[in-house]
């Protein structure tokens, strides 16, 4: 009798496809001696990726400013005086012109961001038109449009969207210190809708927002325990913007950021780990260490929504110095041979 019950229980109990990472387990990774941690992450990276290939994405703000949210890091919030000028949803032709330039400079993915709490049904027609037009250029498409209502993820998927970006931002325990106009669970709800629609997920967070190391571990654990894990994991370093509540946040030591990259790589071995916001303030040596620790994607272009990013020429020079090359279909599959 007990054997039958056990079999029945097994049949109805879901089996997660990813290893469970407790916060304590992730925190223990952070405490690994620095060079040993980077070495372990480099080993994991080489198991799943070509270490010489970097996936290049370009990010464009297609609707800027005026967001009603109170995210403490964001210069696009209507609640703060940051000098960001409100801009309505751009015309399709302007967006396509930028996408063509991005493709000509080696970007494989074109990411589009809109400063909304979430799109309204009336916005979806133009958004899907934009996605279709970018997709026709032969680029992968990614959108970050905020919280989605029922059915919207399916509309985006049908239009040709490949990835939906929706960051967790920070650990559940630290979330209320950064954002008050939505809950951590609201983020998870939209991610669930995105996965249900069959879209790939781009989901990461921001470090340097006065969180503790345990809370950084909590962010990584939350990301690593998503099932399936995100295909892309952007790790952002806080960009301090005058007028935002976090402008006086304590600086994060560069080694702690590299540790975060390494821990993300070890806990999410098959995900692209992307150096995102804050890269403009990183030295070449720090970026090189991040690539060693498992980062294999960058935002490529002179602007990230409304904050600066290294210029393309600088990125090309750095990649040449490090013998790195843009990821292509050919070099992506090099490990399969």
């Amino acid at each position: 009798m007990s054997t039958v019950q056990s079999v029945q229980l097994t049949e109805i109990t879901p089996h997660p496809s990813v290893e469970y990472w407790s916060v304590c387990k992730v925190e223990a990774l952070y405490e690994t001696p620095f060079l040993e941690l980077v070495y372990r992450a480099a080993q994991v990276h080489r198991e799943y990726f070509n270490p010489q290939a970097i996936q290049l994405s370009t990010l464009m703000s297609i609707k800027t400013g005026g967001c009603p949210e109170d995210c403490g890091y964001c210069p696009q919030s209507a609640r703060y005086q940051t000098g960001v000028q409100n801009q309505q949803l751009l015309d399709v032709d302007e967006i396509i012109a930028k996408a063509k330039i991005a493709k000509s400079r080696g970007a494989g993915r074109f990411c589009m961001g809109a400063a909304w709490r979430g799109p309204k049904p009336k916005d979806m027609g133009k958004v899907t038109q934009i996605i279709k037009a970018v997709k026709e250029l032969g680029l992968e498409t990614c959108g970050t449009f905020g919280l989605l209502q029922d059915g919207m993820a399916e509309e985006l998927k049908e239009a040709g969207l490949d990835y939906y970006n929706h960051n967790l931002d920070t650990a559940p325990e630290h979330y209320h210190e950064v954002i008050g106009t939505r809950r951590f669970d609201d983020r998870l709800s939209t991610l669930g809708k995105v996965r249900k629609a069959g879209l790939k997920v781009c989901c990461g967070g921001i470090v340097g927002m006065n969180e503790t190391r345990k809370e950084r571990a909590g962010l990584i654990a939350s990301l690593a325990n998503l099932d399936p894990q995100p295909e892309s994991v952007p790790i952002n370093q806080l960009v301090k913007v005058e007028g935002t509540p976090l402008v006086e946040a304590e600086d994060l030591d560069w080694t702690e950021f590299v540790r975060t990259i390494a821990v993300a790589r070890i806990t999410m071995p098959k995900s692209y780990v992307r150096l995102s916001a804050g890269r403009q303030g990183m030295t070449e040596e720090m970026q090189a260490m991040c690539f060693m620790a498992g980062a294999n994607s960058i935002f490529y272009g002179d602007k990230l929504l409304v904050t600066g990013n290294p210029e393309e020429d600088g990125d090309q020079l750095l990649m040449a110095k490090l013998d790195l090359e843009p990821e292509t279909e050919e070099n992506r599959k090099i490990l399969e041979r």
Side-chain angles (χ1 to χ4, degrees), residues 192-211:
K193 292 172 182 174
V194 167
R195 279 297 189 199
K196 186 178 179 182
L199 288 164
K200 295 176 182 177
V201 167
C202 176
C203 184
I206 307 170
V207 296
M209 298 193 295
N210 290 328
E211 76 280 353

Side-chain angles (χ1 to χ4, degrees), residues 58-78:
T58 293
L59 176 61
M60 179 183 183
S61 177
I62 64 172
K63 187 273 174 187
T64 303
C67 181
E69 301 272 33
D70 67 350
C71 305
Y73 54 80
C74 186
Q76 299 201 68
S77 172

Side-chain angles (χ1 to χ4, degrees), residues 3-218:
T3 304
V4 173
Q5 288 177 331
S6 176
V7 170
Q8 289 174 336
L9 182 62
T10 300
E11 289 175 347
I12 64 173
T13 301
H15 293 276
S17 61
V18 298
E19 178 181 356
Y20 176 73
W21 288 92
S22 67
V23 175
C24 289
K25 191 174 178 182
V26 176
E27 196 173 12
L29 268 183
Y30 265 98
E31 292 168 1
T32 306
F34 180 77
L35 293 179
E36 176 64 24
L37 178 63
V38 171
Y39 175 68
R40 282 185 58 187
Q43 287 180 306
V44 172
H45 186 195
R46 282 153 177 74
E47 278 188 60
Y48 296 95
F49 292 97
N50 173 3
Q52 265 67 58
I54 300 293
Q55 192 273 326
L56 302 181
S57 293
T58 293
L59 176 61
M60 179 183 183
S61 177
I62 64 172
K63 187 273 174 187
T64 303
C67 181
E69 301 272 33
D70 67 350
C71 305
Y73 54 80
C74 186
Q76 299 201 68
S77 172
R79 298 164 185 258
Y80 312 132
Q81 299 298 315
T82 62
V84 171
Q85 299 298 312
N86 293 355
Q87 187 179 63
Q88 296 305 306
L89 193 61
L90 297 177
D91 291 332
V92 177
D93 290 346
E94 186 173 352
I95 296 167
I96 293 306
K98 294 289 188 182
K100 287 179 178 178
I101 293 170
K103 184 178 181 181
S104 72
R105 292 177 176 173
R109 188 180 306 167
F110 192 71
C111 306
M112 296 161 279
W116 288 314
R117 174 176 170 82
K120 295 180 173 62
K122 66 181 177 64
D123 300 315
M124 293 300 291
K126 189 168 182 180
V127 169
T128 54
Q129 181 187 3
I130 291 166
I131 292 166
K132 288 175 183 177
V134 173
K135 187 70 174 177
E136 286 173 0
L137 297 177
L139 287 162
E140 286 186 322
T141 55
C142 180
T144 176
F145 309 131
L147 302 173
L148 296 179
Q149 299 176 28
D150 290 344
M152 286 182 173
E154 285 77 9
E155 286 186 63
L156 297 172
K157 171 71 173 177
E158 186 176 350
L161 193 71
D162 296 300
Y163 289 80
Y164 195 77
N165 167 255
H166 204 58
N167 291 335
L168 295 183
D169 290 336
T170 190
E173 297 77 15
H174 189 61
Y175 201 81
H176 68 281
E177 299 287 344
V178 178
I179 303 164
T181 50
R182 62 170 182 260
R183 301 169 303 157
F184 189 85
D185 286 350
D186 293 330
R187 291 300 222 184
L188 296 178
S189 175
T190 285
L191 289 172
K193 292 172 182 174
V194 167
R195 279 297 189 199
K196 186 178 179 182
L199 288 164
K200 295 176 182 177
V201 167
C202 176
C203 184
I206 307 170
V207 296
M209 298 193 295
N210 290 328
E211 76 280 353
T212 63
R213 175 180 279 186
K214 184 173 184 178
E215 287 165 341
R216 280 190 286 283

Side-chain angles (χ1 to χ4, degrees), residues 226-237:
L226 292 173
D227 189 9
Q229 292 182 332
E231 283 80 4
S232 289
V233 181
I235 303 295
N236 301 274
Q237 182 164 266

